[in-house]
Structure formats: C-alpha cells, structure tokens
C-alpha cells in the first residue's frame, strides 16, 4: 500500500459521508463574511453560527425539494 | 491586540489584500479583522488542498505538469488538424531525403521535458511552430479549469500552490476525481471568491478611513 501524504495526495474518495464536509465549509464562509461585515467584532461568533445555520438550512431545503421532485418524477415515469 | 486606525490609500490596501489575504485590514489598523477574515480565507484554501490534494490547483495551459502546446499538421486527406503536445516544435528543416512513397522527410527540432532541444526526422511535420494553448484558446483552457477562476483570487498563495501542483504532477502524484475532491475544489475556489470580497472591502474601508465618501461596511 502506498503511504498517504497529507496536502499532496487526495483524501480517500470512497468515503460515503462526503457531504459532512459542507459543515466546516459553511462555518468558514460565514466566519469570513461576518468578519468583513460586522462593525463590532465581538458579534462575529454568534452571527457566524446563525449564518452557517441558515446556509445549512438552505442546503437541506434544496436537497429536500430536489428529492421530492425526484420521487414525483420516478412515480410518473 | 491594539486596533488603531491608520490612513492608508485604498489602492495600497487593495494590493496588500491581493498579496496576502487580510494584509489590507492589517495596514489600515484593523488587526483583529485581518486575523479573522484573512485567517479564515487561508484556512479554507489549505483545507481544500488537504481534502483534494495539491493537484486541486490545476493551472490552465498545463497538462500533467508540463506546458501544453498545439500545432497544425496536414493529414492524409490534406486537411489541417490540430494536435496537442507538451514538447513544442521550434524549427522544421528539409533533409532532402524521401520516404518509400516519395514524401519528403523533414527534421523537426523539439524541446524535451526538461527544456533540452532534440531533433527527430518525420514525413508528417507540423506546418509551423507550436503555440502555447493559453495564447491559442485561453477561454477554452479556463473553461476546462473552471475552479481556477475562483482560486486565482488567492493571489500569490495560488501561484505557489500551482507551482507545487505542477511539480507533483511531474512526479506522477494522482489527481482526485471523487466527489470529495470536488468538495476540496469548492473550498479553494470559494476561498478565492471570498478574498475578492475582502480586497474590495479593505479598499473601501481604507477609503472611508481616508475620508472618501460612500465607503465602509455594516453588519
């Protein structure tokens, strides 16, 4: 077996829980965005959690709508 | 950490933010913002590379770590076809020899993988010198490396990672094509787009601090 070298080789691609990587992504996007927009930086942690929660909610909402569409289309055809 | 505002030209703040994410904020005295926003962007970029490997940075105009060129050839139906190569033709010379069918044989001088010239004899030479694909079809190359459009806004960070990516490709390091690798590419592209926002915001805040109208952000 060839040794895995971090930052050089890609992580194992067969991992089924890849979508969990969206959680740190949304957290970091929210952190950077709120660090830019908040005048009072003590507000950043709370606003980051709220914004990343909204982002994840939007992701879940989109996934639910697409899943429902898929179920409807599968039943029709 | 002391956040003392200092007057800095918006242009200087912009250039500083391009060079290092968050440096523009640092120069105008907003050091906590520089650490949080700049650090977040660098962390996103580094995490993207950790997930998808260094080859997630795919420089347009390169293939397997080498510059990609195109050149025209005439096929057996006398049509001009475009052929891609990583070893460009720099000179085509007549040899005076012919093959069994009476076709003339040419000596084609090419540049090898490490830049040294070598010559081969062929009856199907390129019709002109090879051209780098980024000069021939830049939009098609960018289209093939769409995440690079986001990654480029990380500035020198992206350039260094691109150089290392080419070195890794030449050493036969595999490129990730899994869904997880796509997520890694997303991390690096989004970090670049966030840095573009940061560049604009740092220049805007610098203008605001210097007294320019209509600048500065709000929550």
């Amino acid at each position: 077996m060839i040794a895995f070298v971090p930052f050089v080789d890609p992580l194992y691609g067969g991992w089924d829980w890849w979508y969990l990587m969206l959680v740190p992504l949304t957290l970091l996007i929210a952190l950077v965005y709120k660090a830019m927009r908040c005048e009072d930086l003590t507000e950043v942690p709370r606003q980051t959690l709220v914004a990343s929660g909204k982002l994840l909610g939007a992701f879940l909402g989109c996934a639910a709508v697409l899943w429902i569409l898929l179920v409807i289309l599968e039943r029709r055809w | 950490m002391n956040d003392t505002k200092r007057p800095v030209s918006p242009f200087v703040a912009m250039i500083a933010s391009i060079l290092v994410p968050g440096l523009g904020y640092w120069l105008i005295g907003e050091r906590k913002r520089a650490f949080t926003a700049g650090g977040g962007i660098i962390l996103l970029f580094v995490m993207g590379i950790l997930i998808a490997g260094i080859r997630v940075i795919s420089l347009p105009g390169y293939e397997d770590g080498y510059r990609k060129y195109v050149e025209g050839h005439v096929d057996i139906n006398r049509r001009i076809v475009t052929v891609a190569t990583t070893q460009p033709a720099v000179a085509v010379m007549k040899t005076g020899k012919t093959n069994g069918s009476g076709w003339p044989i040419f000596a084609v001088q090419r540049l090898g993988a490490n830049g040294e010239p070598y010559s081969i004899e062929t009856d199907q030479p390129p019709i002109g010198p090879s051209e780098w694909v980024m000069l021939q079809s830049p939009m098609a190359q960018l289209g093939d490396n769409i995440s690079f459009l986001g990654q480029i806004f990380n500035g020198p960070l992206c350039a260094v990672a691109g150089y290392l990516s080419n070195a890794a490709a030449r050493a036969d390091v595999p490129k990730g094509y899994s869904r997880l690798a796509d997520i890694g590419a997303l991390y690096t592209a989004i970090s670049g787009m966030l840095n573009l926002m940061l560049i604009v915001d740092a220049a805007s805040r610098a203008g605001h601090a210097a007294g320019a109208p209509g600048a500065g952000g709000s929550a």
Side-chain angles (χ1 to χ4, degrees):
Chain A
M1 186 179 165
I2 301 165
F4 166 75
V5 183
F7 299 103
V8 175
D9 296 317
L11 292 183
Y12 171 61
W15 190 45
D16 287 338
W17 300 84
W18 57 269
Y19 45 83
L20 288 182
M21 297 310 288
L22 291 174
V23 178
L25 178 69
T26 53
L27 267 172
L28 282 169
I29 291 171
L31 173 74
V32 173
Y33 182 74
K34 288 298 173 185
M36 275 188 256
R37 303 312 295 168
C38 288
E39 285 306 316
D40 179 9
L41 288 179
T42 56
E43 279 287 297
V44 169
R46 191 183 65 81
Q47 293 222 20
T48 297
L49 288 176
V50 172
S52 61
K54 285 179 185 172
L55 268 172
L56 281 173
F59 275 137
L60 287 173
C62 287
V65 168
L66 289 172
W67 182 73
I68 290 166
L69 268 175
L70 188 71
V71 169
I72 292 169
L73 288 173
E74 270 185 346
R75 282 190 184 170
R76 189 162 284 201
W77 286 287
Chain B
M1 201 180 300
N2 192 12
D3 273 11
T4 312
K5 298 246 170 131
R6 287 179 295 183
V8 173
S9 149
F11 181 73
V12 172
M14 186 185 78
I15 296 296
S17 299
I18 293 170
L19 290 176
V20 180
L23 187 60
Y25 286 145
W26 182 278
L27 288 182
I28 59 175
E30 298 201 20
R31 295 187 174 179
K32 284 177 193 161
R33 203 183 300 279
F35 265 112
T36 317
I41 286 170
I42 292 171
L43 186 60
L44 257 178
F45 189 75
V46 170
M47 277 184 72
I49 291 176
L50 176 65
I51 293 167
I54 188 68
R55 291 199 60 195
V56 70
I57 312 294
S58 177
L59 296 181
Y62 287 82
E63 189 173 85
D64 296 331
Y66 297 101
R67 263 192 180 207
K68 188 177 167 187
Y69 296 85
V70 283
E71 56 193 30
H73 285 260
V74 179
D75 71 2
I76 54 169
N77 298 317
R78 295 188 176 270
R79 285 181 305 205
I80 295 175
V81 291
T82 307
V83 176
T85 177
T86 53
Q87 302 192 351
V90 288
V92 180
M93 290 158 289
K94 284 181 181 172
T95 59
K97 295 185 244 175
T98 54
N99 66 7
S101 307
W103 285 87
I105 292 180
F106 295 84
V108 181
Q109 196 174 38
R110 292 185 179 277
L111 294 179
N114 42 9
E116 88 290 3
Y118 68 94
S119 191
I120 53 162
E121 291 192 346
T122 176
D123 56 358
Q124 289 186 322
I127 54 176
S130 308
E131 193 176 17
W132 187 32
V133 284
M134 279 304 281
L135 299 175
Q136 202 246 359
S137 54
M139 297 313 289
Q141 294 306 308
L142 286 171
D144 287 346
N145 298 277
I146 201 75
S147 57
F148 187 76
L149 289 176
Q151 293 164 346
I152 186 71
F153 292 110
N154 285 299
L157 204 61
C158 179
V160 171
Y163 175 80
L164 294 174
S165 169
N166 274 352
R170 289 195 292 269
D172 290 333
V173 170
K175 187 175 181 173
Y177 289 100
S178 64
R179 195 157 284 178
L180 198 59
D182 289 343
I183 298 275
L186 198 63
Y187 269 69
T188 53
I190 287 178
S191 76
M193 287 185 276
L194 284 171
N195 197 38
L196 180 63
M197 281 174 66
L198 187 146
I199 291 163
V200 174
D201 191 54
S204 165
R205 283 174 189 276
H208 188 68
S218 59

